[in-house]
Amino acid sequence: MTMKTIAIIGAGPAGMEASGSLARLGYHVVLIEKEATVGGHLKNLFQLFPDRRPGKEILTHLVQTIKHPGIQIKVNSEVSEVQKLDNSFALKINEETMNADAVLVTTGFDLYDATEKEEYGYGIYPNVITSADLEQMFHNGKVVTEEGKTPKRVAFIHCVGSRDEKAGNNYCSKVCCVTAVKQAIEIKELLPETEVFCYYMDIRMFGPYYEELYREAQEKWGVMFIRGKLSEASQNMDGSILMKAEDTLAGKPLRMNTDLMVLMAGMVPSASSKKVAQQFKMEEGQNRFFKSADNHYRYNESQQMGVFIAGACVAPMNITDTIANARAAAVKIDEYLKN
Amino acid sequence: MQPNYFDPFVLPFTLSMFALLTFLVFKYGSWIYRFGASDRKKVFKGFFSRNSWLAMKEIFMEGLLHRKIFKTNRRLGYMHMSLAFGWFLLIVVGAIEAHTFAKGSSPFYFPIFFRFFVPGTHESFFSDGFTQLMDLLLLFVLSGLFLAVLKRFKSVWVGQTKTSRKKPIDRVVLTSLWLIFPLRLLAESFTSGIHHSGGFLTGSLGTFFGVFLPINQLAYPAWWAYSLALGFFFIGLPFTRYMHIPTEMVLIFFRNWGIKLGVDNPVLMEVEINSCPKCGICIDTCQLSSMAGIHNTQSVYFIQKLRYHEDYNQVAESCLMCGRCEAVCPVAIDLNSIRLMHRADVSATREENFGFIPVQTRTADVIYFAGCMTHLTPTIKNSMVKILNASGDKYWFFDKEQGACCGRPLKLAGQLEAARELVERNRQMMMESGARMLVASCPICYKTFAEDYHLGMEVLHHSQYLERLMANKQISVEKLEVSAVYHDPCELGRGSGIYESPRAVVQNVAKLKSSVYQKENALCCGGSIAHLTLPLEKKKQIARETLRLLTVEHPQVIATGCPLCKKSFTGESGTKIMDIAELVAKALVAKPVREAAKQQKEPVYL
């Protein structure tokens, strides 16, 4: 029996973990990544919630995983053409054609484009940034305003582009709440004098030890949580941001100045997912993420025979769940190829 | 001695006509009686004035020739014209013919049944000519009737994809109306056949029918049938849409005498409701119908609900208030205002307290009011601030930090009292500033400032202000290398009649492309704040379809003058959406004119 080949599209945490598992099961894996390096969004994460483990540590571990003779890594590569054969797929990658007995799609997510919510001023006012921008500041070890000053006040805005009918995204992106809590604590650690506010609709602490982190943020670090959505933002003469919001617990409109405003941009299906969906004729759910063949029993199978899905291209997911999900997909692929 | 011109068959027509006239006299009399004192005065003053002539001219142009429907569709216009104007001429020419023959008095039904009483050829002035002319007119009416029948089966042919649904009584009366003219044709043809008279139509048909039909026996019943059809029609008229025929004329007189609907004239509203012919032209033009699949809320149905006292609450709310129906309504019924009046009914009045808005005034020459939607699209606001700074005008940014709402959203929701209170608060601050001009970025605010505030200062939309700044050389711009199509916002275009200023502005800074859907025919972006219950998905559906129609010429930019339009389009559009203020700010030449002037002056002071 010849060795069976699995093409994995997207070398983020899901693609990397699944590659390792499948290679160890004895398959030949071709891991395809459109960027120059592997790691996906994980590369940008300074620390992970809730245990504040450096993102780099996980990335290093995953890079070790894919150092396996059975894994062929193709960076700067994209699938340009797909042809469905009887029991396999012919994929065209960088003008070469390969045959895959199964395909695992791990194309992940894109960050919601916060400029779409013009009223929040991202891309208009320099001191309005996204959580990803802030993560980058943590990487650089320095949180400063556009003017180079230490912010005396930082405000986090939850649910930017998530749970937002007008943005076209009714779903919850899950990870933003706890990310905001984590980042709020990081700010307080870095700048103890700085006031930190979180504007939220609901606080959703879905994972183990997340609630504890939320409590720590309030009790230990004095982070202020205000239930209410931001309505609009404008810029003051000194570059600081004037926020208008409603405190829905107090039932009052409020205005607040902040030196830095952080938008917790949600997850949307990635542009690559859209492309792959067309190439493999895969179905999208109402939320535009990939649709599983069955939400309970066949979560990692797409509607297309031989095409599997894992990670944040299926639904918003944290790193822990993504890794577990990738391994689950590997088992399913193994079963599929054995029968 | 006059011959006895009487036969029992004239009774259905004659009695029903009397009944109708009596009804109308009472109905119209009661309207005038119920008018407010000032409107009643206008009626009596207007009656003998020149305006009555203008009204008659308008009745002729719109009520008979249907000029406005011709603009919508030529076939549809011809259909209405041939029925209305043709019938009118039949009556007038018939009356002249009958009176010429009778040389004096005759019963008033005499002209209607002239051919029955004077069946043969006769020697009176121009008698042959009259006979041929009457035949021609009848043919003219019949051609319109043919189109009307066709329209019932295939409305697309006369330019309507949808025609209004009719009530059963409408159908009965419609049938009797349709029967009038063919029955007249038959009656006259049979009579002409017997007496070898008649014109090119009735004469030839009479001879033709005579070949195979017992026309001697058929003629009399045919006249009975003709009279009965007329009788049915006149008796049914007050209960159906045909009430519009007499009422529209009355409405035109009232309007020309200066009676206005506003939002508080229930009597004129009743006149307008009774003037609706249910032609259904408002159905096709409604984007809720053509783009969002909502088919029960169009103005024709709303008016119908009001007229027959049905539950209108849901329908009153379900409207974009874009004014597209008003723009094409052949009777020019104030459809938006009527809807607004009925929103005031359905929305409960609440005690509003605007005490949280601080009253503070600054002195300035120009007040700039961005409006809430502009605050939600800060690029527009920033552009205006940049332009205002360059203009050299001493301005006060009224709602920079905590200004109040202009009041129009409350008004559109029917909260008239709360709106008034808010308006009064803002007005006071504006008046105390001593400004000579108010500039608004949002057409919704602009309309309310212009109409409800009575500020005694100039009120401009920023498109007019920008046009003026460029004309006065207060700012200088450099034309950008982009093509733009201009989207007319409802409240600015149809709502306020401002079409040219924004176009002039765009032309100064970009290459202006035209669109079929512009000016009066502009589409609504779908984001209207006037619709209180439209689901977001439907709004987006309208936005997408509107964008598709706007971009057929592939402009690089869709320019508009309304922050709400920009907001509804953005996210749905592949083409960049920019407010005209953004375009101007981008095209602004950095060196303000004032700076240059200062530099020139400097040596003098040194």
Side-chain angles (χ1 to χ4, degrees), chain A residues 116-121 124-125 165-168 231-237 242 244 253 255, chain B residues 356 372 375-382 399-403 536-537 540 566-567 570-571 582:
Chain A
E116 278 190 25
K117 291 206 83 71
E118 194 183 336
E119 61 268 41
Y120 291 176
I124 302 173
Y125 309 127
E165 201 191 358
K166 285 189 177 163
S231 68
E232 65 188 66
S234 56
Q235 195 174 31
N236 296 311
M237 293 291 277
L242 171 65
K244 285 188 195 170
R255 297 192 305 144
Chain B
F356 62 89
C372 63
H375 279 286
L376 295 181
T377 45
T379 328
I380 304 178
K381 183 185 73 181
N382 293 350
D399 58 338
K400 186 178 181 205
E401 281 176 11
Q402 50 187 12
L536 190 76
E537 194 34 57
K540 287 187 171 179
K566 184 187 174 190
K567 200 139 190 60
T570 310
E582 291 174 55

Side-chain angles (χ1 to χ4, degrees), chain B residues 57-68:
Chain B
K57 190 182 153 206
E58 192 182 331
I59 288 171
F60 185 76
M61 296 306 289
E62 301 299 343
L64 294 175
L65 296 187
H66 289 93
R67 191 176 48 166
K68 216 165 166 183

Side-chain angles (χ1 to χ4, degrees), chain B residues 3-39:
Chain B
N4 181 21
Y5 293 131
F6 179 77
D7 190 280
F9 85 81
V10 304
L11 286 175
F13 163 76
T14 312
L15 293 177
S16 67
M17 190 66 181
F18 270 119
L20 175 64
L21 287 176
T22 314
F23 172 82
L24 291 181
V25 166
F26 273 100
K27 186 87 181 168
Y28 298 160
S30 87
W31 279 339
I32 294 173
Y33 176 74
R34 278 164 53 217
F35 267 144
S38 73
D39 280 349

Side-chain angles (χ1 to χ4, degrees), chain A residues 143-144 150-151 154 186-196:
Chain A
V143 175
V144 287
T150 302
V154 177
E186 283 172 302
I187 295 237
K188 289 298 281 190
E189 285 174 349
L190 213 57
L191 312 164
E193 300 300 311
T194 300
E195 287 181 301
V196 180

Side-chain angles (χ1 to χ4, degrees), chain A residues 93-105:
Chain A
I93 305 154
N94 302 345
E95 304 307 311
E96 287 170 40
T97 305
M98 68 163 282
N99 215 48
D101 298 291
V103 175
L104 175 63
V105 178

Side-chain angles (χ1 to χ4, degrees), chain A residues 157-201:
Chain A
I157 310 298
H158 291 226
C159 298
V160 175
S162 307
R163 302 178 71 196
D164 183 343
E165 201 191 358
K166 285 189 177 163
N169 302 330
N170 287 321
Y171 55 84
C172 164
S173 293
K174 274 171 85 175
V175 299
C176 335
C177 276
V178 63
T179 303
V181 168
K182 181 208 75 161
Q183 291 188 330
I185 294 175
E186 283 172 302
I187 295 237
K188 289 298 281 190
E189 285 174 349
L190 213 57
L191 312 164
E193 300 300 311
T194 300
E195 287 181 301
V196 180
F197 289 83
C198 285
Y199 285 78
Y200 68 95
M201 287 203 275

